[in-house]
Amino acid sequence: MTMSPVITLTTDFGLSDGYVASVKGVILNINPKAVIVDISHSVESQNIVQAAFILSTVYSYFPNGTIHIVIVDPGVGSQRKAIILKTQAAYFLAPDNGVLSYIIDELSPLPASPSIPVSLRAELRKVTEGFEAVAITNAAFWRQPVSATFHGRDIFAPVAAHLSMGISIIQFGEPIDSLHVLPVSQPYHDSAGNLTGQILHIDSFGNLITNIRNSDLSLPEIIVDIKKRRIHGIHRFYAETEGLSAIMGSSGYLEIALSDGSAAMFLKAKAGDEVKLVGRHENIQDNFT
Amino acid sequence: MTMSPVITLTTDFGLSDGYVASVKGVILNINPKAVIVDISHSVESQNIVQAAFILSTVYSYFPNGTIHIVIVDPGVGSQRKAIILKTQAAYFLAPDNGVLSYIIDELSPLPASPSIPVSLRAELRKVTEGFEAVAITNAAFWRQPVSATFHGRDIFAPVAAHLSMGISIIQFGEPIDSLHVLPVSQPYHDSAGNLTGQILHIDSFGNLITNIRNSDLSLPEIIVDIKKRRIHGIHRFYAETEGLSAIMGSSGYLEIALSDGSAAMFLKAKAGDEVKLVGRHENIQDNFT
Amino acid sequence: MTMSPVITLTTDFGLSDGYVASVKGVILNINPKAVIVDISHSVESQNIVQAAFILSTVYSYFPNGTIHIVIVDPGVGSQRKAIILKTQAAYFLAPDNGVLSYIIDELSPLPASPSIPVSLRAELRKVTEGFEAVAITNAAFWRQPVSATFHGRDIFAPVAAHLSMGISIIQFGEPIDSLHVLPVSQPYHDSAGNLTGQILHIDSFGNLITNIRNSDLSLPEIIVDIKKRRIHGIHRFYAETEGLSAIMGSSGYLEIALSDGSAAMFLKAKAGDEVKLVGRHENIQDNFT
């Protein structure tokens, strides 16, 4: 993998204080040629799941070798590890708290099962093929003094900047072979045979992004049930329909949208709410048999 | 016109999701030297008029040859065209839905008339002098697969990136000679002879930006009527006055401002509300005679 | 001091209009190699004190020679001066209205005194050692025509861009030796011997950042009184505690935080509210004796 000078930032810092700018200043101090791109700084405070999802829908559009810093870090200063994960596509710097769950799950998936307990506790998963990871322990690359509450500025930023200058990840700490992963929710077939998923994310248009993949939507006559409403058929784009509609979304997942409005407000929907694909389910590609 | 590596973005995507970052990632993947500048991502959802106005007040400050991407695109995926407009000053990539109305109107103005019906429906206007346009139809430059709902990422971003590397606009599609333009509201003289305009935009300070140009404000004794209030005289800057005042604004238009507060909230004003220049109107430069 | 191509922006412009983008366009027009970094554009409208504080917590992380533009400028267009301040660390371009108070105070501190009257009126202070200042008066570097209300775009942006290309600050105007400084609030010992400070800033997490420095917090058994609540001991990081806690903050100041929530909302606290270090005060490093 070639190194890229692009460094992205995904945080829950907001943009009103100077926290994000401090991180950028530290990076530019070390590598003046770094190209820094904001992914989002509006992740809800400490919402690891939301940050994990946003990152997963964006990282693949960046140049190979891009360095993605993700700082949603309620455990900052505690014993939680700070890690670098290197995949075929990119480098990820983050606390080892599950914020890279979608990235890791794509590379090292658990067998999907309807019985996965939904839990917010990240569990250790053994890393197998296709990636390399280190715990960031070599303080030689850190900004001193290291504050107890702002590792983004004092650890992640200088490590990312040095990494972008070509230093090998093994220089930054000890190799590790297990990472914390949140259970990534997968749609499953309920007892009636319907494919049952959930809302993963609500975007700023109020579109509901579900965990049902576009590739599960082969049938035009599909019926979607959500919040006691029924939607018939899948539309290709927003202007094609009026009212509530089911769309093959640009992130690769089924979306529920409202023309000229927010589906989330209209349906009073929130992340975690159930979505069902009803009928003709015998033809739906089934991952669980 | 020299090509510039600057690419600007004006969208209604917001900054909380990763949509804007996806667009930037695609651009940097193709042209790592592109300099990407955000104009605004807080355009109200699907508000084409607002995006058109914001762009019109900003584009001329950028280097000659800058590429401006504007994505407020309720018709994405439908038969609406995606276009490149090349002027003496810059390149504009946008859906052909009226979001470039101010740009086109400056270059190819309709005769101003008090009888222009205010309408939100963009109408086709023949392009005459001073610019060139193509419909983006050559899929060779697109990101594949093209999603039906995110042409910003899959069409506009890669086309802009290739354009910034010096590829001629004619490579991207078919020349066209008509573009959709919204009726750009112009002030007119009412039956009493007052110059009657309207509020075009409310900025984040709550200043009301009207469609009456500073060049119409030659008289110091001008009287402005707005929302049943009367303002005497034009001030040069905010600190010069107390309370409500009329200012020659930095965007080239008459602004109504409130010292230490939001004129919009104070007056309960909104875009489209009427503003009148009263009296001495016989001296006002008159575009309609 | 080496010149750096980094130019930062701190304003109260918000991000929804195109004002910030206009400033960036003007800079890139003059110096296409400038690296522009946003510090914050969400400073409350005309809140000079807030901008001064945010800048003071961030500027030192940027490369030596960075150019910081600060535009919170209620007096724009009036007789207030526009200035360039050059220190060992950086260049600052701002209206001379107190928005650089923390920077100037660090370099040329007044003797701290409990009797400093808190006031929002900036007063002239003689510049002594370690820095250089000019009033920006040479119109040759300005954008013409200069609007009366947007000096950020028409004066600060082009001056910063030319400065970033190596032009000496003396080319931009007349040397001055006095600058306006707001009284920077300092903690003081009250009659009972407690160190009494105040809340300087509330960040977007709802953490309360006080003016009591971490270096004043040498004792583990310190007691903090705020809004009629008492907090025992100082914690090192957020995850170490539950409920309300006092933290040695990453900006160098005592912070009050709430685990899993906003201390500001919980305590109904605002900037200016009193914070006391109680007890063992005889051991606290005392700046006032």
Side-chain angles (χ1 to χ4, degrees):
Chain A
M1 183 170 60
T2 322
M3 185 64 60
S4 155
V6 180
I7 298 176
T8 80
L9 300 176
T10 305
T11 78
D12 60 355
F13 294 171
L15 288 168
S16 45
D17 302 298
Y19 297 132
V20 171
S22 297
V23 169
K24 293 180 181 176
V26 170
I27 291 171
L28 291 171
N29 226 324
I30 294 166
N31 185 358
K33 294 188 189 306
V35 173
I36 306 173
V37 179
D38 299 308
I39 290 184
S40 176
H41 300 293
S42 305
V43 173
E44 282 171 26
S45 182
Q46 309 194 353
N47 192 333
I48 294 170
V49 176
Q50 193 184 49
F53 179 74
I54 291 174
L55 177 70
S56 77
T57 63
V58 174
Y59 81 92
S60 65
Y61 300 105
F62 279 85
N64 202 270
T66 292
I67 297 165
H68 300 282
I69 304 180
V70 194
I71 317 170
V72 178
D73 194 5
V76 61
S78 70
Q79 291 306 305
R80 69 97 186 92
K81 288 192 182 83
I83 58 170
I84 304 175
L85 172 68
K86 178 185 176 183
T87 73
Q88 302 281 345
Y91 297 86
F92 299 90
L93 276 72
D96 182 27
N97 63 8
V99 80
L100 301 180
S101 293
Y102 286 88
I103 313 295
I104 298 166
D105 198 70
E106 278 175 27
L107 293 167
S108 180
L110 281 191
S113 147
S115 61
I116 283 186
V118 173
S119 141
L120 288 178
R121 180 174 294 278
E123 291 181 6
L124 270 183
R125 190 181 305 177
K126 190 99 170 185
V127 174
T128 52
E129 296 290 300
F131 51 122
E132 233 181 295
V134 303
I136 302 173
T137 52
N138 183 357
F141 293 103
W142 304 356
R143 214 192 135 268
Q144 296 296 345
V146 174
S147 72
T149 57
F150 198 177
H151 288 185
R153 181 191 67 196
D154 299 336
I155 298 180
F156 291 111
V159 167
H162 283 107
L163 186 60
S164 74
M165 297 178 81
I167 292 173
S168 165
I169 76 166
I170 200 64
Q171 300 296 314
F172 297 100
E174 313 302 322
I176 51 176
D177 67 355
S178 293
L179 298 171
H180 281 87
V181 183
L182 291 159
V184 171
S185 74
Q186 301 285 0
Y188 62 93
H189 281 90
D190 66 15
S191 56
N194 302 312
L195 188 65
T196 301
Q198 59 175 244
I199 299 173
L200 285 183
H201 183 70
I202 294 175
D203 75 12
S204 61
F205 294 95
N207 297 325
L208 315 178
I209 302 168
T210 75
N211 65 349
I212 298 176
R213 290 177 187 277
N214 288 341
S215 52
D216 291 334
L217 304 175
S218 45
L219 294 178
E221 62 268 47
I222 268 169
I223 290 169
V224 177
D225 279 1
I226 181 164
K227 303 293 278 185
K228 301 189 178 164
R229 288 183 178 258
R230 174 157 289 195
I231 302 168
H232 291 267
I234 302 292
H235 290 92
R236 287 186 53 251
F237 50 87
Y238 304 119
E240 200 181 46
T241 179
E242 294 211 348
L244 215 53
S245 62
I247 299 274
M248 296 177 74
S250 62
S251 306
Y253 297 98
L254 171 70
E255 289 179 25
I256 310 300
L258 182 71
S259 58
D260 301 321
S262 159
M265 281 173 60
F266 180 72
L267 293 173
K268 297 192 174 63
K270 57 183 192 312
D273 282 350
E274 191 178 271
V275 183
K276 269 189 205 196
L277 282 197
V278 186
R280 295 295 197 112
H281 51 271
E282 67 278 14
N283 294 326
I284 295 170
Q285 198 181 47
D286 191 334
N287 299 309
F288 306 111
T289 54
Chain B
M1 183 170 60
T2 323
M3 185 63 60
S4 154
V6 179
I7 298 175
T8 81
L9 301 176
T10 304
T11 78
D12 60 354
F13 295 169
L15 287 168
S16 46
D17 302 298
Y19 298 132
V20 171
S22 296
V23 169
K24 294 180 180 175
V26 170
I27 291 171
L28 292 170
N29 225 323
I30 295 167
N31 186 357
K33 294 188 189 308
V35 173
I36 305 172
V37 179
D38 299 308
I39 289 184
S40 176
H41 300 292
S42 305
V43 173
E44 282 171 26
S45 181
Q46 310 193 352
N47 192 331
I48 294 170
V49 177
Q50 192 184 49
F53 179 75
I54 291 173
L55 177 70
S56 77
T57 62
V58 174
Y59 80 92
S60 64
Y61 301 106
F62 279 84
N64 202 270
T66 292
I67 297 165
H68 300 282
I69 303 179
V70 194
I71 317 169
V72 177
D73 195 6
V76 62
S78 70
Q79 291 304 309
R80 70 97 185 91
K81 288 193 182 83
I83 57 170
I84 305 175
L85 172 67
K86 178 184 175 182
T87 72
Q88 302 281 345
Y91 298 86
F92 300 90
L93 276 70
D96 181 28
N97 62 9
V99 79
L100 301 180
S101 293
Y102 286 90
I103 313 296
I104 298 165
D105 198 69
E106 278 175 28
L107 292 167
S108 179
L110 281 191
S113 147
S115 61
I116 283 187
V118 172
S119 140
L120 288 178
R121 180 174 294 278
E123 293 181 6
L124 271 183
R125 189 179 306 176
K126 190 98 171 183
V127 174
T128 52
E129 296 289 300
F131 50 124
E132 232 181 295
V134 303
I136 303 173
T137 52
N138 183 356
F141 293 102
W142 305 355
R143 213 192 137 267
Q144 296 296 344
V146 174
S147 72
T149 56
F150 198 176
H151 289 185
R153 179 191 69 196
D154 299 335
I155 298 179
F156 292 111
V159 167
H162 284 107
L163 186 60
S164 75
M165 297 178 80
I167 292 173
S168 165
I169 75 165
I170 200 64
Q171 300 297 314
F172 297 101
E174 314 303 323
I176 51 176
D177 67 354
S178 293
L179 298 171
H180 281 88
V181 183
L182 290 160
V184 171
S185 74
Q186 300 285 0
Y188 62 93
H189 282 91
D190 65 15
S191 55
N194 302 313
L195 189 66
T196 301
Q198 58 175 246
I199 299 174
L200 287 183
H201 182 71
I202 295 175
D203 76 11
S204 63
F205 294 95
N207 297 325
L208 314 178
I209 301 169
T210 75
N211 65 349
I212 297 175
R213 289 177 187 278
N214 289 340
S215 51
D216 291 332
L217 305 175
S218 46
L219 295 178
E221 62 268 44
I222 268 170
I223 291 169
V224 178
D225 280 0
I226 181 166
K227 303 291 278 184
K228 301 188 179 167
R229 288 182 179 258
R230 175 157 287 195
I231 302 168
H232 291 265
I234 302 291
H235 290 92
R236 287 187 53 253
F237 49 86
Y238 305 117
E240 199 181 45
T241 178
E242 294 212 348
L244 216 52
S245 62
I247 300 274
M248 296 176 74
S250 62
S251 306
Y253 298 98
L254 171 71
E255 289 180 24
I256 310 299
L258 182 71
S259 59
D260 301 321
S262 159
M265 282 174 60
F266 181 70
L267 291 173
K268 297 190 176 63
K270 57 184 190 313
D273 283 350
E274 191 179 271
V275 184
K276 270 190 205 196
L277 282 198
V278 185
R280 294 298 195 111
H281 51 272
E282 67 279 14
N283 294 325
I284 294 170
Q285 196 181 49
D286 191 333
N287 299 310
F288 305 112
T289 54
Chain C
M1 183 170 62
T2 323
M3 183 66 59
S4 155
V6 180
I7 298 176
T8 80
L9 301 176
T10 305
T11 78
D12 60 355
F13 295 170
L15 287 169
S16 45
D17 301 299
Y19 298 132
V20 172
S22 297
V23 169
K24 293 179 180 176
V26 170
I27 292 171
L28 291 170
N29 226 324
I30 295 167
N31 185 358
K33 293 187 189 306
V35 174
I36 306 172
V37 179
D38 300 308
I39 289 184
S40 177
H41 300 292
S42 305
V43 173
E44 282 171 27
S45 182
Q46 309 194 352
N47 193 332
I48 295 170
V49 176
Q50 192 185 48
F53 179 75
I54 290 173
L55 177 69
S56 77
T57 62
V58 173
Y59 80 93
S60 64
Y61 300 105
F62 278 84
N64 202 271
T66 291
I67 297 165
H68 300 282
I69 303 179
V70 195
I71 317 169
V72 178
D73 193 5
V76 62
S78 70
Q79 290 305 308
R80 68 98 185 91
K81 288 195 182 82
I83 57 169
I84 305 175
L85 172 68
K86 178 185 176 183
T87 73
Q88 303 281 344
Y91 297 86
F92 300 90
L93 276 71
D96 181 28
N97 63 7
V99 79
L100 302 179
S101 293
Y102 286 90
I103 312 296
I104 299 165
D105 198 70
E106 279 175 26
L107 293 166
S108 179
L110 281 191
S113 145
S115 61
I116 282 188
V118 172
S119 140
L120 288 178
R121 179 173 294 279
E123 292 181 5
L124 269 183
R125 191 181 305 177
K126 190 99 171 182
V127 174
T128 53
E129 296 290 300
F131 50 121
E132 233 181 294
V134 304
I136 301 173
T137 52
N138 183 356
F141 293 103
W142 305 356
R143 214 193 136 266
Q144 295 298 344
V146 174
S147 72
T149 56
F150 198 177
H151 288 187
R153 181 191 68 195
D154 298 335
I155 297 180
F156 291 112
V159 167
H162 284 108
L163 186 60
S164 74
M165 296 178 81
I167 292 173
S168 165
I169 75 165
I170 200 64
Q171 301 297 314
F172 296 100
E174 313 303 322
I176 51 177
D177 68 354
S178 293
L179 297 171
H180 281 87
V181 184
L182 291 160
V184 171
S185 74
Q186 301 285 0
Y188 62 92
H189 282 89
D190 66 15
S191 56
N194 302 313
L195 189 65
T196 301
Q198 59 175 243
I199 299 173
L200 286 184
H201 182 71
I202 295 176
D203 75 12
S204 61
F205 294 95
N207 297 325
L208 315 178
I209 301 169
T210 75
N211 65 349
I212 298 175
R213 290 178 186 278
N214 288 340
S215 53
D216 290 333
L217 304 175
S218 46
L219 294 179
E221 62 267 46
I222 269 171
I223 291 168
V224 178
D225 281 359
I226 181 166
K227 302 292 279 183
K228 300 189 178 165
R229 288 181 178 260
R230 176 156 287 194
I231 302 167
H232 291 267
I234 303 291
H235 291 92
R236 288 187 52 254
F237 51 87
Y238 305 117
E240 198 181 46
T241 178
E242 294 210 351
L244 215 53
S245 62
I247 300 274
M248 296 176 75
S250 62
S251 306
Y253 298 98
L254 171 70
E255 288 179 26
I256 310 299
L258 182 72
S259 59
D260 301 322
S262 159
M265 282 173 61
F266 180 71
L267 292 173
K268 297 190 175 62
K270 58 184 190 310
D273 283 350
E274 191 178 271
V275 183
K276 270 189 202 194
L277 283 197
V278 186
R280 294 296 197 111
H281 51 271
E282 67 277 15
N283 293 327
I284 295 172
Q285 198 180 47
D286 192 335
N287 299 310
F288 305 111
T289 53

